[in-house]
């Protein structure tokens, strides 16, 4: 529960610790908490984050104040702990009150920042022995708790299956919309994975497809991919998956030079047909600011010619061949045939997927697919967790 | 026109120069062109890019060959120029033919790469004296050449106006779809910009909005934003624009330390209401691999509390205040009132937009907006240029 002091947010910030003392210094207020932690807050930061009704519009909880309209040498006249809340009086007359739960959750002393970094969800890597998380259609459609469990598995493990899904064409949209709206592409809102004579991608043939991410040809690869099986009477066509983060981390261990090449040398991916022509230049492995693997971009059939210096070209080929060879190693691969009424939902930027060739003369095979972006997944999780 | 040798692409690669000589070395073929340029091509690269019907599926023009299935020490037995085409015979039996137009366009010697880098379109920066590119609705709807001119202005200048647009609600979708499908968001496919009592963003109030990009709270900010005026009888509400790239470059010149802070210190943007909760941590200024400014992320009313070290916080505030102060300088600002039947279309990741407060009691004001991603803009340009 919030105390009397409002916050510019729809989340709640439970009080974890009492405020003990507030001391006004030249450009900051130094707060001491009941557990001994000391958190400095600069005057500019505090004034910027004043949650009063003049500074934040209460309906949208969006800021109206712009900090540039406040003097850059603004200082506090006084700071007190009143009824558990930090109360600050500013030179010039404004007053601000800060909820202790909110203040602790946003403190930027080293200890508080390290604590928040450590609490961030981490990917749980998997290999061929992965215990696939399976969810029930009716449960995720009706029970917000089951929905949240499914979404957390998608976020942290990146590969899930849902069973008991209706097999009418289009029913995929119903479960996708439990998360959010669907991300459209040139292949449509829902795309049909069937062998077609006039295929505009190898995905729409009966060929085997090597392990890949979808739409590496776009600046932002889709976050989630759904593949829903309506009919699967054809011989072959098994689904294959690998955890791209697990492979990238193994490569980093086994061949650091190859790993670095895939992080640093951009590669062009192309998806072109008579009506569209998408091209995107980006490295195959993306790292975050802390050097952790956060994305794999890979589809051999959509790759353009490598373009790097003559000196680097042999290294790039060595690294690329090594990565592809690793995706073929049994230790990483999960192989399963999808049955009607089942769907795969996976992190398209982490979990590479493939299918074996199938024989279109042996029986019908019809999957439907769609995409939802990671923004939508994370937003839905935050709302369910409120 | 292509020669007999096919290419794995729908683009054409006119011949710019004849092949003069091909010499087989240990791991590469050294090609000499008629103009004297020398382009080495590694055996792996050439084999990987073989365009024959066994290696590329002719319907999709996507690769079927995976280079990892070829020996890593594969070498050429012979290379000849035949009827203007580079013809290579590989140890083990495969033969490949390379069109000279395609080969020159993909050569990766230093000179060829520098030539392509120099030919890349550059943003044309503008300020308050900008000669706004204005296009006619009927022309862009009916004439592919006019459409291409509009799209090139969007790509290179980042701010355009279209006039003569019907004022029926929803007609924005017709012109947007001349480019591609629309990018949906939690605000819908088309969003209505009107003052609402239950606003879920300050955009839907009558407040002034400071200069900002839309959806900085998403991993990928929308590439293009459309704002279409249906009714504008209210006092106030003028549109303001600045070229965010021009401001970032001026800041780089005038205060390099502040510029670096905005490139390096990530800031959280938040868009939250009862049903959604988007949060994205990213720097305000993004640079490409060559250090050029390629994106601005900014909306004061959607910004979360700054979170950086205590030591860096004063620098971040100084840099942020300076950037905002620059967006307010007359030298950068373009101010225009939009009339019914006119629309703004602009690069949302470059051109910051704002509106003055308006008086909702003085008359009606109704705009509609939508987004399209940069991928779609660039794809449409490439198809129109084929």
């Amino acid at each position: 529960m919030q105390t009397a002091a409002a916050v510019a947010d729809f989340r709640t910030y439970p009080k974890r610790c009492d405020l003990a003392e507030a001391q006004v210094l030249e450009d900051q207020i130094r707060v001491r908490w009941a557990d001994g932690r000391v958190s400095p807050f600069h005057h500019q930061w505090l004034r910027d984050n004043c949650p009063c009704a003049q500074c934040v519009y209460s309906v949208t909880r969006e800021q109206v104040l712009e900090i540039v309209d406040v003097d850059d040498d603004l200082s506090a006249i006084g700071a007190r702990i009143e009824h558990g809340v930090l109360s600050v009086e500013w030179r010039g007359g404004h007053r601000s009150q800060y909820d202790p739960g909110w203040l602790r959750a946003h403190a930027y002393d080293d200890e508080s920042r390290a604590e928040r970094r450590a609490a961030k969800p981490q990917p749980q890597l998997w290999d061929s022995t992965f215990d696939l998380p399976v969810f029930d259609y009716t449960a995720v459609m009706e029970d917000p708790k089951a929905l949240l469990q499914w979404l957390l598995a998608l976020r942290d493990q990146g590969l899930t299956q849902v069973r008991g899904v209706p097999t009418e064409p289009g029913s995929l949209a119903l479960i996708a919309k439990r998360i959010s709206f669907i991300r459209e592409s040139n292949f449509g809102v829902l795309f049909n994975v069937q062998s077609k004579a006039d295929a505009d991608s190898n995905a729409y043939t009966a060929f085997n497809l090597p392990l890949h991410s979808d739409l590496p040809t776009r600046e932002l690869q889709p976050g989630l991919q759904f593949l829903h099986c309506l009919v699967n009477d054809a011989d072959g066509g098994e689904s294959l998956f690998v955890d791209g983060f697990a492979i990238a981390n193994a490569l980093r261990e086994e061949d650091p030079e190859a790993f670095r090449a895939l992080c640093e040398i951009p590669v062009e991916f192309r998806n072109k047909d008579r009506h569209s022509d998408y091209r995107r230049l980006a490295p195959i492995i993306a790292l975050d600011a802390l050097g952790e693997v956060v994305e794999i971009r890979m589809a051999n059939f959509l790759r353009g010619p490598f373009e790097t210096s003559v000196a680097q070209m042999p290294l790039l080929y060595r690294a690329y061949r090594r990565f592809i060879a690793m995706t073929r190693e049994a230790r990483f691969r999960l192989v399963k045939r999808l049955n009607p009424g089942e769907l795969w939902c996976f992190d398209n930027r982490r979990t590479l997927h493939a299918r074996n060739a199938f024989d279109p003369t042996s029986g019908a095979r019809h999957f439907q697919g769609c995409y939802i972006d990671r923004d939508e997944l994370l937003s839905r999780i935050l709302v369910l967790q409120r």
Side-chain angles (χ1 to χ4, degrees), chain A:
Chain A
M1 289 296 298
Q2 301 303 136
T3 66
V7 299
D9 205 340
F10 286 87
R11 288 170 90 168
T12 50
Y13 294 95
K15 187 167 74 177
R16 300 226 180 110
C17 188
D18 282 316
L19 288 160
E21 194 191 343
Q23 186 190 0
V24 177
L25 304 182
E26 192 189 343
D27 69 340
Q28 59 192 248
I29 292 174
R30 187 159 297 178
V31 162
R32 197 167 54 71
W33 301 89
D35 63 358
R37 185 176 299 178
V38 172
S39 300
F41 295 99
H42 289 89
H43 294 149
Q44 287 283 314
W45 188 96
L46 284 168
R47 183 65 191 85
D48 189 20
N49 289 293
C50 173
C52 84
Q54 259 181 281
C55 295
V56 172
Y57 181 44
S58 62
V59 173
T60 59
R61 304 200 191 176
E62 289 173 2
Q63 201 178 19
V64 176
L65 172 77
E66 289 186 85
I67 189 63
V68 72
D69 290 320
V70 170
D71 288 344
D72 63 4
D73 62 351
L74 175 78
S75 61
I77 293 175
R80 289 192 307 281
I81 319 292
E82 286 179 337
H83 309 295
V85 162
L86 174 65
S87 180
V88 179
E89 186 175 351
W90 300 106
R91 198 178 60 208
H94 199 80
R95 274 173 182 277
S96 304
Q97 288 196 309
Y98 304 91
D99 172 272
W102 181 89
L103 202 58
R104 179 82 171 208
H106 293 87
Y108 52 93
D109 58 275
D110 289 347
E111 199 179 344
S112 297
R113 293 170 67 226
E115 201 175 75
R116 286 201 290 281
R117 240 189 339 265
K120 285 220 172 113
Q122 294 297 320
Q124 296 157 23
L125 303 186
W126 50 265
D127 61 16
S128 63
T129 65
F130 185 43
D131 186 15
L132 178 69
V134 175
F135 298 85
D136 174 66
Y137 176 77
T138 308
V140 301
M141 292 303 286
E142 292 173 6
D143 175 6
K145 285 203 185 70
L147 177 62
L148 178 59
Q149 290 313 308
W150 178 39
L151 303 189
L152 292 173
L154 283 168
R155 185 191 68 185
D156 298 333
Q157 302 179 289
L159 175 60
T160 67
Q161 195 176 89
V162 180
R163 294 184 186 161
V165 186
T167 55
E168 286 77 46
S171 45
L172 171 57
L174 297 176
I175 185 167
K177 286 178 182 166
R178 278 294 277 167
I179 306 179
S180 182
F181 58 86
I182 294 170
R183 171 169 160 182
E184 191 168 351
S185 78
N186 61 316
F187 299 112
V189 174
L190 294 192
F191 49 88
N192 289 293
V193 186
Q194 282 171 303
S195 175
K196 302 176 204 174
D198 63 340
D200 52 358
S201 165
N202 286 357
Y204 305 134
T205 66
F207 302 165
N208 79 297
L209 285 182
L211 284 153
H212 67 283
S213 51
D214 267 24
L215 306 196
T217 54
R218 310 306 151 90
E219 185 163 359
L220 181 72
Q221 298 188 102
L224 294 182
Q225 177 168 175
F226 295 75
L227 280 174
H228 174 210
C229 178
L230 305 177
V231 182
N232 196 0
D233 295 331
D235 294 339
E238 294 81 11
S239 304
L240 287 80
F241 296 96
V242 297
D243 182 349
F245 290 2
I247 292 181
N249 284 329
L251 180 65
R252 181 178 228 164
E253 189 77 16
E254 295 167 19
D255 190 342
E257 193 190 27
F259 175 82
R260 269 199 310 279
L262 297 185
C263 294
E264 289 169 8
I265 305 176
V267 168
E268 194 178 56
F269 292 93
R270 300 174 169 192
N271 175 212
K272 68 272 169 185
D273 69 13
R274 287 156 199 84
H275 310 293
S276 61
D277 200 325
Y278 298 97
R279 284 152 201 260
R280 180 67 190 167
L281 186 72
I284 287 169
I285 300 174
L287 305 180
D288 67 11
L290 300 172
E292 294 299 320
V293 174
V294 288
E295 179 166 32
I296 309 293
R297 188 181 289 264
M298 170 63 80
N300 188 70
F301 52 103
L302 300 176
R303 185 170 52 81
F306 285 155
E307 177 177 342
T308 188
S309 67
V310 174
Q312 275 198 313
M313 193 61 80
L315 169 62
L316 179 56
Y317 268 104
R318 180 167 77 76
Y320 186 76
R321 294 176 62 104
R322 179 68 189 266
F323 188 93
I324 300 286
M326 288 174 82
T327 66
R328 295 180 175 192
E329 289 179 31
R331 59 174 165 151
F332 293 115
R333 285 163 88 101
L334 196 80
V335 184
K336 280 203 197 303
R337 186 180 171 86
L338 199 66
N339 300 305
E342 295 175 346
L343 68 77
W344 295 115
C345 185
F346 55 94
D347 182 340
N348 178 61
R349 299 163 67 183
R350 166 181 175 183
T351 300
L352 302 179
H353 65 295
R355 68 145 187 259
N356 288 331
F358 62 91
D359 175 2
T361 66
S362 64
R365 185 182 193 272
H366 185 192
F367 284 33
Q368 289 192 314
C370 70
Y371 307 116
I372 286 185
D373 272 328
R374 192 178 283 178
D375 287 330
E376 306 306 323
L377 172 70
L378 298 181
S379 165
R380 194 76 169 105
I381 289 174
L382 288 181
V383 171
L384 288 167
Q385 284 177 333
R386 272 180 193 164

